[in-house]
Amino acid sequence: MKKKINRNGDRWRAVDVLLQRWLGDRQQLLGLLCELSGRARGGLRRAETRQMLDRFCEVLVDYVSAGHFEIYGVLLEEGERLGARRCREAARLYASIVPTTVVALDFNEHYFGGGAGRPLMEELSQLGQVLAERFDQEDALIWRLHMPRRKVA
């Protein structure tokens, strides 16, 4: 029995390290969003702002992709260990995250590498609101699927 607890604890710690790295990526994304919003007031004509916008798009896509292709799967595995009710909650939360991915990818598709013609400040503001909603849903996934096991680890 003790070995099983240790293996579960090891698994929990590995997932926790993965989540901490991903949440660090989220902080980087938010920092770039704030800095870009400040610089974008001057328009996209400045090469610095253009480079920062491209960097922001790269970090945005990396963050969103890691969520969908790495993090959510690991969290859902943890949810399966907690039972069907947690899986239903996770499915509901995941369904609310998917539309935010579409918004993020649309932003990237338009702006990465030179998009213009749309009001950047307005789009950054809207993207910021969508990301805030996404982060709330992601945090709820973490709290419902990962944190209940914290006492075991």
Side-chain angles (χ1 to χ4, degrees):
M1 182 71 176
K2 189 173 183 172
K3 273 191 167 186
K4 185 175 183 181
I5 290 172
N6 286 338
R7 274 190 247 136
N8 285 340
D10 290 345
R11 169 112 175 109
W12 187 91
R13 282 187 283 285
V15 171
D16 200 56
V17 167
L18 180 68
L19 289 172
Q20 293 306 317
R21 188 205 71 210
W22 186 58
L23 293 173
D25 293 346
R26 180 194 287 182
Q27 289 299 321
Q28 179 186 13
L29 178 63
L30 286 170
L32 285 169
L33 177 63
C34 291
E35 191 174 347
L36 182 58
S37 294
R39 287 190 183 189
R41 287 185 176 92
L44 285 176
R45 290 181 178 35
R46 293 189 211 154
E48 272 178 20
T49 303
R50 178 83 255 160
Q51 288 175 341
M52 180 176 282
L53 180 58
D54 284 348
R55 177 69 184 133
F56 172 76
C57 287
E58 289 171 356
V59 172
L60 175 65
V61 169
D62 288 348
Y63 177 83
V64 168
S65 297
H68 281 283
F69 299 115
E70 187 176 10
I71 303 297
Y72 304 151
V74 169
L75 288 173
L76 290 174
E77 284 176 20
E78 288 199 316
E80 288 172 0
R81 292 185 184 100
L82 293 170
R85 185 174 142 256
R86 297 286 179 156
C87 288
R88 284 191 302 274
E89 289 175 16
R92 182 185 55 77
L93 289 167
Y94 180 75
S96 68
I97 291 171
V98 171
T100 69
T101 301
V102 173
V103 172
L105 294 178
D106 179 60
F107 182 93
N108 175 71
E109 188 175 311
H110 180 76
Y111 284 105
F112 185 72
R118 297 189 331 204
L120 179 60
M121 285 302 301
E122 183 179 316
E123 295 230 346
L124 284 171
S125 177
Q126 290 172 353
L127 180 62
Q129 291 172 357
V130 166
L131 289 174
E133 293 170 14
R134 178 189 187 97
F135 298 156
D136 286 345
Q137 299 305 317
E138 291 171 343
D139 290 347
L141 272 176
I142 292 168
W143 280 103
R144 287 183 175 94
L145 301 178
H146 179 66
M147 298 312 287
R149 295 174 106 12
R150 184 175 202 155
K151 294 175 185 162
V152 174

